[in-house]
Amino acid sequence: MPTLLHIDCSMRQDGSVTREITGIFAEEWRQANPDHTYVYRDLGASPIPHVDEASVVAGLLLQEELNEDQRRAWSVSEPLIKELRAADTIVLGVPMYNYSIPSVLKTWFDRVTVQEHMIQEPMSEGLLTGKRTIVVIARGGAYGPGTPRERYDFQMPYLRALLEQIGLDRNLEFVHVEMTLAHSVPALEQFKPIADTSREEAANNVRKLVLAG
């Protein structure tokens, strides 16, 4: 049965723009697909443990070869891997933290980027190839081409690289929201109209993506 995997990673429960926009996508997807499966994981509210040596080794061995520490480590990674493999559509909400992605999402990627998911050669097929992936990114300022802070955007290139190495770049859409701090930082107050327009456009874009199937 088609499955949506919905992942949020903002540390903010209230006022999070990424939670708002991914929530719109998820709600409209569920209304359009009432008989399909929906799985939600909140990495911000329930962080997963960082990988350690046992976690890395467990991803390379057969189950019968694991020792007790490795089995314990694999018990954390395995449900995440199963959720990802079962999903047909993935929606990620990713705020920019310190010019990159939240550490809790980096940990998730560390857990699911196992050897059997890796794309070994350019354009080759992998276990995850073909899944639809929508990434909602939010930034407090503006980091697009031609902006003064363009060179500080490590969020988009990093996400593209992470998704590409496990084959989730073939059916990938990014939805942007910028200037999210305009309503809370006095120095950015003049950019409130830009922030509001960006937020409204993002909401409309995810609705269109649901309709596009």
Side-chain angles (χ1 to χ4, degrees):
M1 180 175 291
T3 299
L4 169 64
L5 174 59
H6 174 192
I7 298 176
D8 281 324
C9 63
S10 174
M11 297 298 105
R12 299 173 61 189
Q13 295 295 315
D14 297 322
S16 166
V17 175
T18 54
R19 289 180 183 277
E20 174 189 338
I21 303 301
T22 63
I24 291 171
F25 180 90
E27 180 61 27
E28 302 233 350
W29 185 93
R30 295 175 76 183
Q31 289 180 10
N33 304 282
D35 298 326
H36 295 176
T37 302
Y38 171 71
V39 177
Y40 181 62
R41 185 169 287 275
D42 189 340
L43 300 176
S46 301
I48 52 181
H50 287 283
V51 294
D52 54 13
E53 182 180 3
S55 306
V56 174
V57 174
L60 301 174
L61 299 178
L62 299 173
Q63 290 295 304
E64 58 269 22
E65 298 174 330
L66 302 182
N67 63 31
E68 184 176 349
D69 287 341
Q70 292 160 356
R71 282 195 296 272
R72 187 180 303 111
W74 185 247
S75 71
V76 177
S77 300
E78 186 177 30
L80 306 175
I81 291 168
K82 286 183 175 180
E83 284 177 354
L84 181 58
R85 289 184 182 177
D88 300 280
T89 301
I90 303 140
V91 59
L92 299 172
V94 189
M96 176 184 275
Y97 287 178
N98 293 318
Y99 309 121
S100 186
I101 67 174
S103 63
V104 291
L105 182 60
K106 169 62 164 60
T107 300
W108 180 83
F109 273 108
D110 289 342
R111 292 279 181 179
V112 301
T113 306
V114 292
Q115 187 172 0
E116 56 264 39
H117 290 169
M118 300 287 283
I119 298 298
Q120 301 302 323
E121 299 178 6
M123 300 311 295
S124 63
E125 299 289 312
L127 285 177
L128 307 181
T129 303
K131 296 180 184 296
R132 188 184 190 204
T133 306
I134 294 102
V135 182
V136 176
I137 63 172
R139 294 96 90 80
Y143 295 83
T147 62
R149 288 182 173 266
E150 177 184 0
R151 67 190 181 95
Y152 293 108
D153 180 12
F154 298 95
Q155 181 191 33
M156 281 281 292
Y158 188 50
L159 281 167
R160 285 190 183 277
L162 291 171
L163 294 166
E164 180 180 343
Q165 73 175 340
I166 56 176
L168 292 179
D169 61 321
R170 313 291 173 83
N171 191 5
L172 173 62
E173 297 274 359
F174 280 96
V175 177
H176 304 259
V177 189
E178 299 212 331
M179 303 304 304
T180 61
L181 291 178
H183 286 276
S184 56
V185 176
L188 298 177
E189 186 174 3
Q190 62 181 308
F191 300 111
K192 284 181 179 179
I194 295 176
D196 293 341
T197 298
S198 181
R199 199 164 178 166
E200 183 178 352
E201 288 178 350
N204 289 334
N205 285 339
V206 294
R207 291 187 179 102
K208 291 176 183 177
L209 288 171
V210 172
L211 293 175

